[in-house]
Amino acid sequence: LEKHSRSSEVFLKSYSINSDNIDAVYYASKELYESERMSDAQKHLLEYLEFVNDYRAWYLLGMIYWKRNEINDAQNCFWECIDHAGDDIDACYHKHLAFFMLGNRRLAESYLKDAVFQDLDNEDMIESLIKFYEENDMPKRAYRYYRILHQKVKKQKKNLEIGSDLSW
């Protein structure tokens, strides 16, 4: 918690020095959220959203409301996240998170798969999809992606062995 608190201070200091660095306010808000300083995180997110209509900020604000049990406000923020997100990997991942929080697992799965298929080399996304399937009692689907991940690791290991043989 102390690490997140210090990080938020640094981001806010950065913004106070250079007001063009508005993204620092988002990152400060994220660190404040992680350090469980919800009121401060909310205040800065609302300030950030005055300048930038950012899907990540809408999602984070939704999570703040969710933790406070302000469900209607949370749901509105998740819809704003979905409405403002594009189609790149990070946007699809956030759409997945928002739809999951809204209780629509079918669309949550769809957007997470979209994120995975945009970059099949992104092991973190594949692991997120595996975790999603495991948590939603879909072991056959999880296994399919475990196999993909296993093949990737196996191939990387083989490439490392070949690379070390060439160095001699």
Side-chain angles (χ1 to χ4, degrees), residues 33-144:
Y33 172 82
E34 294 296 330
S35 64
E36 300 180 14
R37 294 172 53 196
M38 300 301 162
S39 294
D40 291 335
Q42 178 184 1
K43 177 183 118 190
H44 292 297
L45 275 173
L46 291 172
E47 176 186 348
Y48 176 73
L49 285 166
E50 288 179 18
F51 295 98
V52 182
N53 220 341
D54 184 352
Y55 64 91
R56 300 168 307 157
W58 282 114
Y59 176 77
L60 188 56
L61 187 58
M63 291 304 295
I64 291 169
Y65 288 132
W66 187 266
K67 284 190 173 211
R68 291 181 170 168
N69 207 25
E70 298 173 20
I71 305 305
N72 287 336
D73 290 333
Q75 289 177 332
N76 290 335
C77 289
F78 296 140
W79 281 114
E80 289 289 337
C81 168
I82 292 163
D83 289 343
H84 291 94
D87 294 320
D88 61 55
I89 291 173
D90 189 58
C92 285
Y93 181 73
H94 276 79
K95 285 181 188 179
H96 145 75
L97 294 172
F99 275 119
F100 185 82
M101 293 304 294
L102 289 167
N104 191 330
R105 289 199 160 81
R106 184 182 60 77
L107 284 174
E109 174 190 9
S110 176
Y111 280 105
L112 185 53
K113 284 173 66 175
D114 283 352
V116 167
F117 287 120
Q118 286 187 42
D119 183 4
L120 286 170
D121 291 329
N122 190 327
E123 293 175 13
D124 291 336
M125 282 297 158
I126 295 172
E127 288 173 1
S128 293
L129 187 57
I130 291 168
K131 183 179 175 185
F132 175 84
Y133 286 140
E134 288 175 337
E135 290 174 350
N136 289 282
D137 199 28
M138 297 182 218
K140 288 181 182 179
R141 291 181 186 181
Y143 178 70
R144 182 181 317 144

Side-chain angles (χ1 to χ4, degrees), residues 153-168:
V153 170
K154 192 174 169 182
K155 185 177 178 181
Q156 288 173 350
K157 187 175 181 182
K158 186 176 180 178
N159 288 341
L160 285 174
E161 289 172 359
I162 290 172
S164 66
D165 289 343
L166 294 175
S167 65
W168 290 98

